[in-house]
Amino acid sequence: SSLSTSISLSKRIAAAPQISKSGNVNILEKGDDNIRELVAYLPYLFEFAAYEYTPNNAIGQYEGLAAILLAMEHLNTGNGTIVPELNGINETCPLKFTTDSFDTMLQQRVAVDHIITMTDRNRTQGLSPTAILGAASSGISIPTSIISGLRGFPQISAISTSAALDDKSQYKLFGRTIPNDDGTAVPLIEKLSSWNVKYLAVIHSDDPYGNAFVDGIRGVAQRDAPDLR
């Protein structure tokens, strides 16, 4: 199996007689021989179901989880077939990587409850996050990243684009691998201008993502396309 190392690591975690912490790194005590294993735990927040447990079948949800699992397998085994720089990294980096997925159900209450539980440094059972992956919706990342930041856990999203999350006074340890809504609005306005579009209306959701996206479009249009109404 291409995930055999990750599966084996999960079994060792379940069987570990003791798990201690050093900062945001987990230390597995492996029996009486005093052998230790350092584990970076990166829990994944995403909406696999919507309200009232309706399955969310958008393929991106499962592609994202599959990509995370494959990346961790390559980190744990030093497999450089996709990222050449990872070749042999398992021989020089002592960390092993693992994850669990947590369904936010697109609800702030559910997501915040997950974050409060997993970032409780007084917990004696289970792994403590090294960093947190997600969420997808900016409306979920905004409240969860305040809590994770206050408790000293970085949170990284590949999808949340609200410009509000750029405020480091509020979201101290939040990062993302995608431009904010102001950045994504630039090519949209450029394309509309190239088509000589003069009027634009945006139908959007009344939530942090939708409102921030509209603000981004409005700001870029006023700056780069003053004739657009």
Side-chain angles (χ1 to χ4, degrees), residues 141-143 145-146 164-174:
S141 289
I142 284 173
S145 61
I146 290 176
L165 286 161
D166 290 336
D167 184 355
K168 290 302 179 185
S169 68
Q170 292 289 329
Y171 314 103
K172 297 180 182 297
L173 297 180
F174 178 81

Side-chain angles (χ1 to χ4, degrees), residues 114-178:
H114 285 319
I115 290 290
I116 289 174
T117 300
M118 72 174 64
T119 61
D120 182 0
R121 293 188 183 272
N122 293 319
R123 282 195 310 150
T124 58
Q125 300 295 322
L127 299 174
S128 178
T130 303
I132 297 163
L133 306 179
S137 166
S138 295
I140 302 298
S141 289
I142 284 173
T144 55
S145 61
I146 290 176
I147 298 169
S148 60
L150 287 172
R151 292 185 166 183
F153 296 95
Q155 185 169 331
I156 305 165
S157 173
I159 304 179
S160 295
T161 55
S162 172
L165 286 161
D166 290 336
D167 184 355
K168 290 302 179 185
S169 68
Q170 292 289 329
Y171 314 103
K172 297 180 182 297
L173 297 180
F174 178 81
R176 53 184 158 205
T177 58
I178 186 173

Side-chain angles (χ1 to χ4, degrees), residues 1 17 36 50 53 74 110-111 136 140 144 178 186 189 192-193 198:
S1 170
R36 293 177 147 196
Y53 300 96
H74 283 192
V110 174
I140 302 298
T144 55
I178 186 173
V186 172
I189 296 302
L192 293 175
S193 297
K198 299 300 181 184

Side-chain angles (χ1 to χ4, degrees), residues 73-220:
E73 181 72 13
H74 283 192
L75 284 164
N76 290 338
T77 59
N79 186 328
T81 54
I82 296 177
V83 180
E85 290 78 6
L86 295 184
N87 188 45
I89 194 173
N90 59 317
E91 298 175 0
T92 57
C93 175
L95 286 174
K96 298 299 181 185
F97 295 82
T98 190
T99 188
D100 287 311
S101 59
F102 294 84
D103 189 359
T104 69
M105 299 178 63
L106 272 177
Q107 297 183 50
Q108 292 181 340
R109 177 189 59 79
V110 174
V112 166
D113 187 53
H114 285 319
I115 290 290
I116 289 174
T117 300
M118 72 174 64
T119 61
D120 182 0
R121 293 188 183 272
N122 293 319
R123 282 195 310 150
T124 58
Q125 300 295 322
L127 299 174
S128 178
T130 303
I132 297 163
L133 306 179
S137 166
S138 295
I140 302 298
S141 289
I142 284 173
T144 55
S145 61
I146 290 176
I147 298 169
S148 60
L150 287 172
R151 292 185 166 183
F153 296 95
Q155 185 169 331
I156 305 165
S157 173
I159 304 179
S160 295
T161 55
S162 172
L165 286 161
D166 290 336
D167 184 355
K168 290 302 179 185
S169 68
Q170 292 289 329
Y171 314 103
K172 297 180 182 297
L173 297 180
F174 178 81
R176 53 184 158 205
T177 58
I178 186 173
N180 66 21
D181 291 323
D182 294 347
T184 57
V186 172
L188 172 63
I189 296 302
E190 287 182 353
K191 178 58 69 175
L192 293 175
S193 297
S194 72
W195 292 338
N196 294 316
V197 172
K198 299 300 181 184
Y199 299 94
L200 174 66
V202 180
I203 300 174
H204 66 93
S205 56
D206 185 16
D207 62 16
Y209 167 72
N211 295 330
F213 188 53
V214 170
D215 289 342
I217 292 174
R218 184 180 294 114
V220 173

